[in-house]
Amino acid sequence: MAVKSVTHLNFRGDARAALEFYQSVFGGDLAVVTYKDAGSVQDPAEADQVMWGQVLAGNGFHVMAYDVPSQMPWGRGENSFFVSLRGESAQEVTAYWDKLSEGATVVQPLGPAQWAPLYGMLRDRFGVVWVVDVVSEYNG
């Protein structure tokens, strides 16, 4: 039996824009269900917001997201989670890094690290922290 973990991102009105951005970076299929689509509108101003959405790409990238309704508490948080993105080559990782960096704040520039040929950390324009590296064998 296998278990799969998928990062689920919570936004307040930005879920569709974030999912579209991640699709532009990683490719794949975008699926979005709005509160109106699901017949679950609590606030008419939020009817077109994302009740559930995902980007699922053939390269293994998968992320889900939704817009937290205004009647529920929500805060962007500070370092409450990271999305770890690991690739097998420097070329692959650098291409994703370059796209994710658009409008981002770089926390740790992409470069060699003691534990990986390339490693970097950034907070993207939606406030999501990404740790990006090239997979390497641990020699501890």
Side-chain angles (χ1 to χ4, degrees):
M1 181 178 269
V3 174
K4 182 177 181 182
S5 175
V6 177
T7 302
H8 193 285
L9 306 172
N10 303 329
F11 296 96
R12 176 71 47 86
D14 289 328
R16 182 184 301 273
L19 288 167
E20 289 171 351
F21 173 67
Y22 300 141
Q23 182 189 34
S24 77
V25 172
F26 298 102
D29 296 314
L30 170 67
V32 171
V33 175
T34 66
Y35 287 99
K36 180 172 55 182
D37 295 337
S40 184
V41 176
Q42 301 294 318
D43 179 345
E46 298 173 347
D48 292 322
Q49 289 186 359
V50 177
M51 185 173 129
W52 175 84
Q54 75 173 5
V55 173
L56 180 58
N59 59 10
F61 180 80
H62 188 188
V63 68
M64 290 187 250
Y66 94 118
D67 287 308
V68 178
S70 60
Q71 74 268 16
M72 293 177 61
W74 177 83
R76 196 176 250 192
E78 185 65 30
N79 294 326
S80 57
F81 68 91
F82 297 148
V83 178
S84 175
L85 177 67
R86 307 189 87 194
E88 295 183 4
S89 74
Q91 181 180 9
E92 175 185 33
V93 165
T94 300
Y96 291 136
W97 176 270
D98 290 345
K99 291 177 181 178
L100 284 169
S101 295
E102 184 182 317
T105 300
V106 174
V107 177
Q108 173 68 44
L110 187 64
Q114 185 176 6
W115 61 90
L118 281 179
Y119 169 84
M121 180 187 291
L122 61 79
R123 181 180 312 277
D124 74 17
R125 65 186 184 200
F126 297 101
V128 176
V129 177
W130 294 79
V131 290
V132 178
D133 67 344
V134 173
V135 176
S136 64
E137 288 189 32
Y138 177 72
N139 296 318

